Amino acid sequence: MKKTSMTIITTLLICFCFTNYGHAKTETNQYYTVILKDRSKWTQSIKKIKKSQGEITYTVPEIGLIQFKGNQKVAKTNASLFKSLSPSLKLEKPSTSTSKSFKKPNSSVNSIKGLDSTLPALWDMQWDMKEITHNGESYNIESGSSNVTVGIVDSGIDIDHPDLVDNLKSGSKNLVPKGGLRGTEPEETGDINSINDINGHGTMVAGSIAANGEIKGVAPNTGIKVYRVFGNKSADAVWIIKAIIQAAKDDVDVINLSLGSYYIDGNIYKDDELLDNKWADVEGYKLAIEYANKLGSVVVASAGNDSIDVSNKSELNDFLKKKYAEEGKTFNGVGIEAPGELPGVVTVSSTGPTQQLSLFSNFGKNYIDIAAPGGDSRLLEKYGQEAWWDGGLFRQEQVLTTFNTGRYLFASGTSMAAPKVSATLALIIDQRHYKNRPSNSIDYLYKNGVKKDIEPNLAYWGNGQLDVYNAVK
């Protein structure tokens, strides 16, 4: 039986909102991320840091990464141990500040139900899924199985959502430590099994992958595991790096990263004083992605929502200079976006219902690998917010997905595009028997899982625009 009522939440451009331009201030004590020169000296290095009054706060031994709290003296005393060192980066949590909700009675739901009784009640609101599945035809060929797993590195999941509960496999993990972000979240217990989503973003991502109820995801029968790295505040980049490693160790086939940040390959200054460049975090990402690829996992990342040509370093630097100037900072060097710009990652841009690049989506030649529907804001810009809300235009260009407490949500962002690619890769792996063969599944996606009638555009959609039906037919 269908529910007698359901709540649908709408929000504008809330996805891929982890971007953080700020850098840690020079303080007496701060958090540092380091990559060891020699991983074989792991225990010895831990002891030396502790002996010099450094407090170990997080570790990723598989790649020789240590986070510690201490002053500059601790960092300098142990400098000979480190391949790279920098103050730890915080990534901002997703925001839902522009959300709006309403209830839809059952009779109205029935009126929008598709003619095919196998399709869900809200199918006609899913323009994105209708487009890439050829109105549900791909489900008749391949809808996934529990033999393949997509790992969602995000804010957790609504563990009781009726559209997701059957897909959630055992083995999901919470990687937010006790006390949360640098001890400021006493509600965070550090319980590895505490995966419930208090933010909503992870649940949104999960819906695009595997929803199977009032709405459908790309792969409604595929297994999912979640790796919770966001609580109610920002996340440390080292938690995300740890999650990538852990997902690979858990034999996850596809790792979805609907997140990212900008970094400087160079030096950052404030009042002519050298601050940092966060390169240890970038090095950590590189090593984690390489580790995951070697263990057979495909890593997928969203491209970002700042309308920037990331491959045009002059444009990206101008953008970042303005952001740094607001904080009284300057830099010399080159900006990059990570993890999307790093080797071994499938980076996804967003398209809207007109099959154009979304107005908000980042892009760039040799940066974007593939595009998928993530919504748009063209109607909002054309008609204004009042008509967009009251006239229901948001339904025509945002994508419908799952949300916390059993609800549903309209949203836009590259965060909604990336999971569709992750789910399609899961279908390919299952159908083509490409488990532990990431390069084969990626090559197959680029060759077969794209639209054949769209003009090539390397900067906007790389190898093409996603077509799930073509991928599995």
Side-chain angles (χ1 to χ4, degrees), residues 361-434:
S361 181
N362 284 356
F363 59 98
K365 188 177 179 181
N366 298 320
Y367 172 58
I368 299 301
D369 295 302
I370 192 169
D376 210 341
S377 56
R378 281 180 165 81
L379 294 179
L380 174 63
E381 292 204 0
K382 182 176 181 179
Y383 294 104
Q385 186 167 340
E386 184 175 353
W388 191 76
W389 280 123
D390 297 342
L393 296 178
F394 62 88
R395 297 187 185 95
Q396 297 179 31
E397 64 180 0
Q398 292 195 313
V399 300
L400 183 62
T401 188
T402 46
F403 196 53
N404 280 1
T405 62
R407 291 176 289 173
Y408 303 85
L409 170 138
F410 282 98
S412 298
T414 56
S415 280
M416 294 293 96
K420 294 179 174 73
V421 172
S422 293
T424 306
L425 282 161
L427 295 178
I428 291 170
I429 291 168
D430 197 26
Q431 185 187 57
R432 311 301 301 184
H433 307 293
Y434 284 157

Side-chain angles (χ1 to χ4, degrees), residues 127-345:
W127 62 264
D128 55 329
M129 293 298 173
K130 291 169 74 173
E131 175 189 318
I132 59 179
T133 67
H134 291 207
N135 200 30
E137 285 298 315
S138 68
Y139 301 133
N140 297 325
I141 303 171
E142 182 64 63
S143 60
S145 76
S146 60
N147 295 327
V148 176
T149 305
V150 178
I152 303 169
V153 178
D154 216 290
S155 60
I157 194 170
D158 177 0
I159 58 176
D160 297 316
H161 200 293
D163 288 34
L164 301 171
V165 67
D166 290 338
N167 303 87
L168 186 59
K169 300 176 72 173
S170 62
S172 294
K173 294 177 175 66
N174 170 45
L175 296 170
V176 178
K178 185 177 180 180
L181 184 70
R182 304 178 187 183
T184 61
E185 297 175 276
E187 69 277 9
E188 292 290 346
T189 65
D191 180 357
I192 197 169
N193 298 309
S194 181
I195 61 170
N196 204 38
D197 189 0
I198 60 175
N199 178 277
H201 194 267
T203 303
M204 292 161 54
V205 170
S208 288
I209 294 168
N212 197 9
E214 302 291 355
I215 65 173
K216 275 190 183 292
V218 167
N221 292 313
T222 288
I224 54 176
K225 290 184 181 181
V226 298
Y227 296 84
R228 182 173 178 264
V229 294
F230 283 92
N232 232 346
K233 293 189 176 182
S234 306
D236 258 311
V238 295
W239 306 348
I240 297 166
I241 293 165
K242 177 83 167 182
I244 296 170
I245 296 285
Q246 188 61 59
K249 291 175 67 175
D250 289 345
D251 199 29
V252 162
D253 299 285
V254 186
I255 301 172
N256 188 89
L257 304 172
S258 287
L259 50 84
S261 188
Y262 298 104
Y263 298 80
I264 301 298
D265 184 3
N267 296 316
I268 301 164
Y269 302 88
K270 186 170 185 179
D271 299 327
D272 295 325
E273 180 183 355
L274 177 64
L275 295 180
D276 57 82
N277 64 8
K278 297 297 186 295
W279 212 247
D281 287 307
V282 175
E283 187 68 22
Y285 271 124
K286 287 181 178 179
L287 292 170
I289 292 163
E290 180 182 343
Y291 184 97
N293 291 162
K294 285 183 177 179
L295 263 62
S297 300
V298 182
V299 180
V300 178
S302 51
N305 295 335
D306 293 305
S307 308
I308 295 173
D309 181 352
V310 173
S311 64
N312 184 334
K313 294 308 175 184
S314 176
E315 179 180 336
L316 178 58
N317 277 13
D318 287 345
F319 171 80
L320 292 177
K321 284 176 182 177
K322 292 178 182 178
K323 296 298 181 181
Y324 279 112
E326 294 172 2
E327 301 175 3
K329 298 175 182 177
T330 61
F331 67 85
N332 56 38
V334 179
I336 73 161
E337 193 282 321
E341 206 171 352
L342 302 179
V345 177

Side-chain angles (χ1 to χ4, degrees), residues 15-41:
C15 307
F16 192 97
C17 45
F18 303 94
T19 302
N20 177 276
Y21 310 101
H23 290 254
K25 297 177 181 179
T26 302
E27 300 171 342
T28 302
N29 285 289
Q30 60 181 317
Y31 288 77
Y32 290 94
T33 300
V34 300
I35 305 293
L36 297 181
K37 288 180 180 178
D38 187 350
R39 295 178 209 169
S40 68
K41 297 181 179 179

